[in-house]
Amino acid sequence: MVEITSPRFKANAREALADKDLQRALTKVPSGFIAKRAKAREKLPEFDALRDRARDIKNHTLAHLDLYLERFEAKVKENGGHVHWAADAAEAREIVLKICRDLDARTVTKGKTMISEEIGLNDYLEEQGIEPVETDLGEYIIQLRKEHPSHIIAPAIHVNRDQVEADFRRVHGHLPQDRDLTAPETLLGEARGILRDRFLKADVGITGANFLVAETGTSIIVTNEGNGDLTQTLPKAHVVLASIEKITPTLQDVSQNLRVLARSATGQDMSVYTTFSTGPRRADDPDGPGEYHVVLLDNGRSSMLGSEFEEMLRCIRCGACMNHCPVYHTVGGHAYGWVYPGPMGAVLTPSLIGVDKAGHLPNASTFCGRCEEVCPMRIPLPKMMRHWREREFERHLQPATQRWGIKGWAFFARRPALYRAASGIAMRLLGAMGRKRGRFASLPLAGGWTSHRDFPSPQGKTFQQQWAERKR
Amino acid sequence: MTTTRSGGPRIGLFATCLVDLIRPSIGFAAAKLLEDAGCTVEVPPQTCCGQPAYNSGDRADAKAIARRTIEAFEPYDHVVAPSGSCSATMSKHYPELFAGDPAWEGRARAHAAKTHELVSFLVDVLSVTAVSAQWEGSATYHDSCSGLRELKVHAQPRNLLGGVAGLELREMAHPEVCCGFGGTFCVKYPDISNVMVGRKTDDIAATEADMVLAGDLGCLMNIAGKLKREGRRTEARHVAEVLAGMTDEPAIGEAER
Ligand code: SF4
């Protein structure tokens, strides 16, 4: 299970800021993703209209989620596959274990899936004596490093190329020491070589799903490495891990939403591979898995339906919100302390693990609004973070100093006459103290501000005082 | 629209709490710009738009403050504020705050509909195309987040600054990136905020401009405070001060001359 460190977000952030390797790696985020998305958007004049359509499709789906889930289940069965409903992470893990046990599986290969992270599958399988092998390059790297993804589409974005090279030389000890690993392609090539063997040995292949199609019972993954295809076609069984909101009514709807997914994520028109899986291998298929299982995970999502957080279920995990988030750019994904980082994590994580544990996340935002501006599904992320803050305020979950700071301020702001009298005196005093120098290097009760920057001095009398005098 | 004897619209100037307390000269600059454009400007008793409470999850206080503000500004044709952030709170969030409240929803909507950020009001509503101001030197403009993303303030200040005699505008590489102020964010997460504002001051410094301008005093205090702490010489001012030709007061955080 991924350890939850969200309650120590502040300490995590401080460590992240002091970590030079991480800071070096994080420069790739804004420089790598932002311009590419902007270009892709520019090239497609109807991009913003497509976002509206994508939002509408998902809203419709969520309004009829039960119906589409049932249709999906019926279709999968018709195609000879199995659907398993998992209410929580523990149930999902057990379902996967049972499928593996029934096939005497020793090794499972895995395509990239965040649901696997959410349910802590790798550690669990290892405990049960089954070896999980990550086949996505980024996931493979972090598995070697015994880490967790720090980004939902670029799991190893926090690692630098030279660190990967060192890891490969350490772990792939049987390869010649003088081999050239300087280009990123050489790293991919080496990982491929190692993995080829594992693909052939695997008994079960586990992937996630970007979409589940209700109309056909199809699961769809998009990748750039093609590892997902080998993961799901070679072993005896293909297990799809997906959360319930991945449902999309028709193939037509999927083709529409695919048009915004890759553009928002990496700026590509389409990802290199878009793979459709519909049931197990049929008699006349040249290849394919003998069994096809879909594990549908709820894990708290159905309780978001009908709440002020329902819109979060439109998320297609493109990563654009974190790619554009200035807070993510400074602290990276691990600081958020659980599976989902950045703005989408700031909304989703409290829903899934509780706002009492994840309370920092929706607060650690300036509400700059860049996430909402780029979200292909037009999810109002700042608004929902504010809703979390409201819940925290109602439940007295924020630090007392913060709560009483706001309450104290509001006491005056609600009483204009008192406010004018008090602020008039205070500003004259502060102004008299600070005007000469123009600023304060430190101020009582304002350490959060003045530990890093000066506090500009007030000019003296308030605007309202001066205005009244001028008008007299 | 009711008109005054001068024929121009009657404006309730919402100074914003920061301008009221910290830098009244911005309020006077705003008033001058509006009066020069033919408006009648009044300043009804006011405190704050309520955003600090609203963004801290304290809806009850936010509403109480908002009700005060709505009442105070009901007599005016327009509410104008020298801040994208406070304007957006009133024009975008007041209706949401009172949604479903029969007594206040309509009044909140009316207030929202007539609320404007200062510079976009001058350009988009009053069709001001030029100001008669002068400032010798180079300046760079920081887009504060709410103004840019919620109110689409982007070209308007640049267009007016283009007409200030002697002023050369130099764009930052990333003028649209948040400065790390974020209201209470900067004191709740000071370490993160510090890195963000440090990136902003680096970006500003790279332009080698003499002055940084913005439309929100919160961002400007953050940026100016960091520039001073770093010992940099770049001045920080509200865009209204330059547009109104009122730059006699020391710049933000600057010592008295
Ligand atoms: S919230 Fe929006 S931008 Fe963020 S990952 Fe989900 S779909 Fe993408």
Side-chain angles (χ1 to χ4, degrees):
Chain A
M1 195 68 192
V2 185
E3 190 201 345
I4 298 171
T5 68
S6 308
R8 26 184 329 267
F9 173 81
K10 279 190 168 190
N12 292 349
R14 258 195 304 278
E15 283 161 25
L17 292 173
D19 182 338
K20 293 216 166 62
D21 284 331
L22 174 65
Q23 291 300 320
R24 184 159 56 99
L26 284 174
T27 59
K28 289 178 289 195
V29 180
S31 68
F33 287 112
I34 292 178
K36 286 183 187 150
R37 176 198 171 270
K39 210 177 222 148
R41 173 170 178 258
E42 218 169 84
K43 274 190 351 209
L44 189 70
E46 67 269 37
F47 184 69
D48 285 341
L50 285 171
R51 291 166 68 192
D52 291 340
R53 282 276 302 139
R55 173 199 57 206
D56 295 347
I57 290 171
K58 209 69 187 182
N59 280 348
H60 166 85
T61 315
L62 292 172
H64 306 281
L65 190 62
D66 48 347
L67 185 116
Y68 286 117
L69 282 168
E70 279 168 19
R71 188 173 299 172
F72 175 77
E73 180 182 31
K75 275 288 164 190
V76 172
K77 283 183 179 159
E78 232 179 270
N79 301 329
H82 306 274
V83 172
H84 311 265
W85 300 86
D88 57 25
E91 276 189 32
R93 289 192 298 263
E94 279 158 30
I95 291 164
V96 176
L97 179 67
K98 178 153 193 316
I99 296 168
C100 292
R101 287 267 191 264
D102 288 350
L103 289 166
D104 276 332
R106 306 293 299 277
T107 309
V108 304
T109 42
K110 295 180 67 209
K112 201 181 125 27
T113 144
M114 291 306 291
I115 298 298
S116 164
E117 288 294 323
E118 188 178 325
I119 65 173
L121 187 61
N122 284 5
D123 287 349
Y124 180 73
L125 290 178
E126 273 172 24
E127 279 163 27
Q128 306 294 330
I130 298 168
E131 188 198 7
V133 179
E134 296 289 351
T135 65
D136 170 272
L137 178 62
E139 293 280 356
Y140 178 74
I141 291 166
I142 58 174
Q143 192 180 24
L144 286 188
R145 298 171 61 87
K146 301 195 183 347
E147 292 178 339
H148 292 285
S150 64
H151 188 288
I152 60 173
I153 68 158
I157 193 90
H158 60 286
V159 190
N160 296 293
R161 202 211 52 81
D162 50 334
Q163 293 172 292
V164 179
E165 180 179 339
D167 288 329
F168 276 24
R169 291 198 189 282
R170 174 172 56 82
V171 179
H172 306 159
H174 60 289
L175 295 174
Q177 274 307 310
D178 58 352
R179 66 198 192 279
D180 180 17
L181 285 177
T182 45
E185 305 80 60
T186 56
L187 293 171
L188 181 61
E190 177 160 319
R192 279 211 171 123
I194 302 266
L195 286 168
R196 194 162 303 133
D197 212 37
R198 317 305 290 275
F199 278 125
L200 295 169
K201 280 206 192 112
D203 306 297
V204 172
I206 298 176
T207 69
N210 292 89
F211 301 97
L212 301 173
V213 190
E215 152 184 75
T216 56
T218 303
S219 60
I220 298 174
I221 55 169
V222 300
T223 68
N224 280 325
E225 294 166 22
N227 60 304
D229 293 17
L230 293 174
T231 301
Q232 66 184 50
T233 46
L234 294 179
K236 294 175 225 164
H238 174 201
V239 178
V240 180
L241 296 179
S243 48
I244 52 175
E245 83 281 10
K246 286 284 171 304
I247 284 281
T248 309
T250 66
L251 284 170
Q252 178 91 38
D253 295 330
V254 169
S255 63
Q256 140 79 43
N257 287 5
L258 277 170
R259 297 185 71 195
V260 295
L261 174 57
R263 286 183 170 89
S264 301
T266 52
Q268 294 164 286
D269 292 349
M270 284 284 275
S271 301
V272 179
Y273 298 87
T274 303
T275 309
F276 294 62
S277 312
T278 312
R281 176 182 191 164
R282 286 162 304 196
D284 53 348
D285 283 345
D287 59 12
E291 295 177 17
Y292 175 79
H293 299 266
V294 182
V295 182
L296 286 173
L297 179 71
D298 183 337
N299 210 23
R301 288 167 176 80
S302 55
S303 66
M304 293 165 72
L305 287 168
S307 79
E308 63 257 67
F309 305 108
E310 177 173 311
E311 291 180 272
M312 193 61 223
L313 296 173
R314 289 206 298 266
C315 176
I316 53 173
R317 307 288 190 269
C318 71
C321 54
M322 58 199 76
N323 292 342
H324 289 76
C325 176
V327 174
Y328 181 94
H329 293 166
T330 63
V331 300
H334 288 150
Y336 291 79
W338 196 56
V339 177
Y340 300 106
M344 58 81 72
V347 177
L348 187 62
T349 305
S351 302
L352 300 187
I353 68 171
V355 73
D356 51 331
K357 293 198 195 77
H360 270 301
L361 275 45
N363 282 283
S365 160
T366 62
F367 284 167
C368 81
R370 237 176 157 191
C371 50
E372 179 174 359
E373 186 181 37
V374 298
C375 173
M377 306 307 286
R378 298 204 185 277
I379 298 173
L381 294 153
K383 177 174 132 184
M384 285 188 289
M385 288 181 223
R386 192 183 294 110
H387 283 320
W388 276 124
R389 297 183 190 186
E390 286 162 5
R391 296 253 182 123
E392 292 180 88
F393 195 85
E394 283 160 18
R395 291 175 53 191
H396 294 243
L397 289 175
Q398 288 143 327
T401 44
Q402 198 175 305
R403 181 182 183 86
W404 291 107
I406 286 296
K407 281 259 155 212
W409 166 250
F411 177 84
F412 287 101
R414 290 171 68 159
R415 295 167 176 80
L418 189 62
Y419 174 95
R420 279 202 306 282
S423 64
I425 295 166
M427 291 311 125
R428 266 176 142 147
L429 203 68
L430 269 182
M433 283 159 50
R435 208 162 40 216
K436 269 226 130 30
R437 240 196 111 228
R439 56 192 183 268
F440 297 93
S442 75
L443 265 184
L445 302 176
W449 181 286
T450 53
S451 55
H452 298 297
R453 40 180 124 46
D454 291 352
F455 189 87
S457 166
Q459 289 172 325
K461 287 182 184 175
T462 68
F463 176 65
Q464 293 186 77
Q465 280 174 329
Q466 293 188 44
W467 182 267
E469 285 166 13
R470 188 180 98 162
K471 292 286 139 173
R472 232 183 278 132
Chain B
M1 186 190 291
T2 57
T3 47
T4 57
R5 269 157 299 161
S6 68
R10 197 167 152 233
I11 308 294
L13 178 62
F14 185 82
T16 77
C17 55
L18 284 181
V19 166
D20 183 40
L21 302 179
I22 307 286
R23 199 163 170 85
S25 53
I26 296 170
F28 286 109
K32 175 172 189 295
L33 286 166
L34 289 165
E35 282 167 354
D36 286 355
C39 302
T40 302
V41 179
E42 291 181 33
V43 180
Q46 52 189 270
T47 63
C48 165
C49 66
Q51 194 197 97
Y54 180 60
N55 281 348
S56 298
D58 179 1
R59 268 181 103 89
D61 277 319
K63 279 174 141 171
I65 297 166
R67 281 194 288 265
R68 286 273 184 196
T69 307
I70 292 169
E71 270 172 347
F73 285 85
E74 241 151 22
Y76 302 98
D77 298 325
H78 301 283
V79 184
V80 176
S83 157
S85 161
C86 311
S87 308
T89 295
M90 295 189 283
S91 65
K92 301 286 171 185
H93 299 285
Y94 274 14
E96 189 267 329
L97 203 47
F98 291 103
D101 179 338
W104 283 91
E105 186 170 357
R107 294 171 81 178
R109 286 191 182 286
H111 183 90
K114 66 180 185 181
T115 296
H116 301 272
E117 181 277 336
L118 172 70
V119 180
S120 54
F121 180 72
L122 292 173
V123 172
D124 300 339
V125 180
L126 300 178
S127 306
V128 172
T129 52
V131 292
S132 57
Q134 186 182 339
W135 197 86
E136 284 303 326
S138 53
T140 190
Y141 184 84
H142 164 69
D143 294 288
S144 54
C145 297
S146 304
L148 176 68
R149 298 198 180 82
E150 296 194 89
L151 304 175
K152 313 290 170 222
V153 179
H154 182 259
Q156 303 93 326
R158 289 174 171 81
N159 289 345
L160 291 187
L161 286 169
V164 172
L167 186 148
E168 177 209 348
L169 197 60
R170 295 188 189 165
E171 290 290 349
M172 280 177 251
H174 304 289
E176 80 293 350
V177 172
C178 179
C179 72
F181 172 61
T184 54
F185 173 85
C186 67
V187 287
K188 282 193 289 186
Y189 300 97
D191 302 326
I192 301 173
S193 174
N194 176 44
V195 174
M196 290 167 70
V197 70
R199 288 178 183 172
K200 180 55 70 177
T201 52
D202 283 347
D203 201 4
I204 292 166
T207 67
E208 294 181 0
D210 303 316
M211 176 171 65
V212 55
L213 297 170
D216 277 85
L217 182 53
C219 314
L220 283 162
M221 288 174 66
N222 182 38
I223 292 169
K226 189 66 180 176
L227 287 167
K228 292 292 148 220
R229 181 63 58 93
E230 292 173 331
R232 304 205 205 236
R233 302 191 43 188
T234 325
E235 285 190 1
R237 284 185 188 275
H238 193 285
V239 64
E241 298 175 52
V242 172
L243 293 178
M246 292 167 69
T247 49
D248 291 342
E249 284 282 328
I252 300 167
E254 212 68 56
E256 269 180 349
R257 277 171 286 201

